[in-house]
Amino acid sequence: MNTRRFGRTRVVRAVRNSTVAAFAVVAACDAPSATAPSVAENVAEAVNRLAGTRLFVNPADNPAHQQANAWRASRPGDADLMDRMASQPIAKWFGDWSTDIRRDVARVVSLSATQGATPVLVAYNIPNRDCGSYSAGGSASGSAYRQWIRDFAAGLSGQPAVVVLEPDAVAGAGCLAAAAKQERYDLIRDAIQVLKSAHAIVYLDAGNAHWLNPDELAQRLGQAGVGLADGFALNVSNYIGSSVSIQYGAAVSQRVGGKHFIIDTSRNGAGGLGSEWCNVPGQSLGTNPTTNTGNALVDAFLWVKVPGESDGECNGGPHAGVWWAEYALGLAQRGLTVASS
């Protein structure tokens, strides 16, 4: 089962197809550690750090904007939908395809500063990423990752930024042997501390509501240092509806010291089709990115996945990471929450 795969300059991801129903009790893959840190290390700071935040929009660095230009003369109505999609804040992903991570991060941070806005960035370079599946790759070693995350943090230059840290790394850690698993948790804990020292707002990725039961996920998050983060992220690149994610997130939050969370709504407007994850047909854009969620535990609805990029060669899609114009158009046509800025 696969999580994501990236192109050289753009990331795409479809969350792992889970055989575990939300909230189902499953056998734990990680034995509890007697020395496992408390998940409540920063309970006093479990507040919405994003309240009132203006999110960065960069339509020029967005395939929807480029598609709108290509269609403007021949398909003006469709071009308008692409323009409206491109007008929304969308996360920028970074990984081992970034040739100079400090420079690449700094470029986005600098552009966002001109808007007086805060960018959403995704750090996706953990060693043994995706456990050798579609998105295999990542840093060559733990020491290389530690340096990479320090260079990432240096690129922030102390400017405001939201970082979604390592999609699938915690929820997908069960594929690793015990030593590699512990190294992963240690690397993530270190990354949180480094990014927080650079004044980033950090959400540790926690998979999705159809992956692990809340007890199992909470244990893994605790080992990875979620208590040091601002919260956790759910549904990144998946289709699960927000109401299900909120219910699941609340259950996890109760187990990790009341931590808040964010939800990826980039294509969850139709709620998906059960456990199917790859280029699911008939889906739509979800709620526009906002920090006004109406829920005390949900800090933001964000478009973390770039809507319109293929999950892979499934359901008629092109290679993973390739822009799929007609799929993007379908998401926009059915995304009733898309509104002009």
Side-chain angles (χ1 to χ4, degrees):
M1 294 183 289
N2 317 309
T3 51
R4 89 193 84 235
R5 184 178 178 181
F6 54 85
R8 177 167 178 79
T9 59
R10 193 169 305 278
V11 176
V12 64
R13 171 183 178 268
V15 176
R16 184 182 305 270
N17 173 11
S18 173
T19 59
V20 182
F23 314 113
V25 176
V26 297
C29 296
D30 295 327
S33 170
T35 59
S38 167
V39 296
E41 287 160 300
N42 274 353
V43 172
E45 296 182 14
V47 297
N48 187 348
R49 294 288 311 281
L50 302 183
T53 297
R54 180 184 179 189
L55 299 171
F56 173 57
V57 177
N58 186 13
D61 186 24
N62 186 313
H65 173 76
Q66 298 164 14
Q67 191 65 59
N69 288 339
W71 282 348
R72 207 166 302 283
S74 60
R75 299 169 61 174
D78 294 341
D80 179 65
L81 285 173
M82 292 297 98
D83 280 331
R84 291 163 65 186
M85 179 187 288
S87 73
Q88 298 301 317
I90 300 175
K92 179 70 175 179
W93 291 62
F94 301 89
D96 48 359
W97 59 90
S98 303
T99 56
D100 185 334
I101 186 61
R102 180 172 182 169
R103 179 202 62 198
D104 294 346
V105 169
R107 180 181 294 122
V108 176
V109 170
S110 177
L111 285 171
S112 65
T114 64
Q115 291 184 12
T118 299
V120 178
L121 315 176
V122 182
Y124 185 52
N125 200 32
I126 200 76
N128 200 23
R129 187 180 58 213
D130 201 20
C131 292
S133 191
Y134 281 180
S135 296
S139 293
S141 66
S143 60
Y145 182 75
R146 290 176 188 273
Q147 184 59 55
W148 185 86
I149 207 71
R150 281 157 175 77
D151 291 339
F152 186 113
L156 298 175
S157 301
Q159 297 299 308
V162 176
V163 179
V164 178
L165 183 60
E166 296 301 340
D168 290 359
V170 172
C175 69
L176 301 173
K181 191 181 302 180
Q182 187 58 55
E183 179 188 43
R184 173 168 291 189
Y185 294 151
D186 291 343
L187 290 174
I188 292 173
R189 170 177 285 272
D190 175 71
I192 294 170
Q193 293 173 307
V194 169
L195 293 167
K196 290 297 296 176
S197 294
H199 308 294
I201 300 171
V202 181
Y203 292 89
L204 175 56
D205 187 82
N208 65 74
H210 290 171
W211 199 334
L212 300 176
N213 72 77
D215 288 330
E216 171 68 7
L217 178 59
Q219 184 215 345
R220 295 190 188 189
L221 288 172
Q223 289 181 277
V226 73
L228 300 168
D230 295 283
F232 55 95
L234 291 175
N235 203 50
V236 172
S237 297
N238 213 310
Y239 300 87
I240 298 170
S242 294
S243 61
V244 174
S245 294
I246 290 171
Q247 184 181 6
Y248 178 76
V252 174
S253 176
Q254 290 177 346
R255 293 159 171 80
V256 293
K259 285 293 184 181
H260 290 197
F261 54 98
I262 60 174
I263 297 173
D264 184 359
T265 59
S266 59
R267 52 184 191 175
N268 76 340
L273 292 176
S275 61
E276 189 172 359
W277 60 268
C278 192
N279 295 327
V280 179
Q283 302 307 295
S284 72
L285 298 172
T287 302
N288 289 356
T290 180
T291 61
N292 184 16
T293 67
N295 187 291
L297 288 175
V298 183
D299 287 354
F301 298 127
L302 299 176
W303 287 6
V304 182
K305 159 81 174 183
V306 179
E309 291 187 341
S310 176
D311 296 328
E313 296 179 6
C314 50
N315 283 322
H319 291 298
V322 174
W323 172 252
W324 187 1
E326 296 304 325
Y327 191 86
L329 180 62
L331 291 174
Q333 288 172 332
R334 292 181 289 270
L336 300 180
T337 65
V338 175
S340 299
S341 298

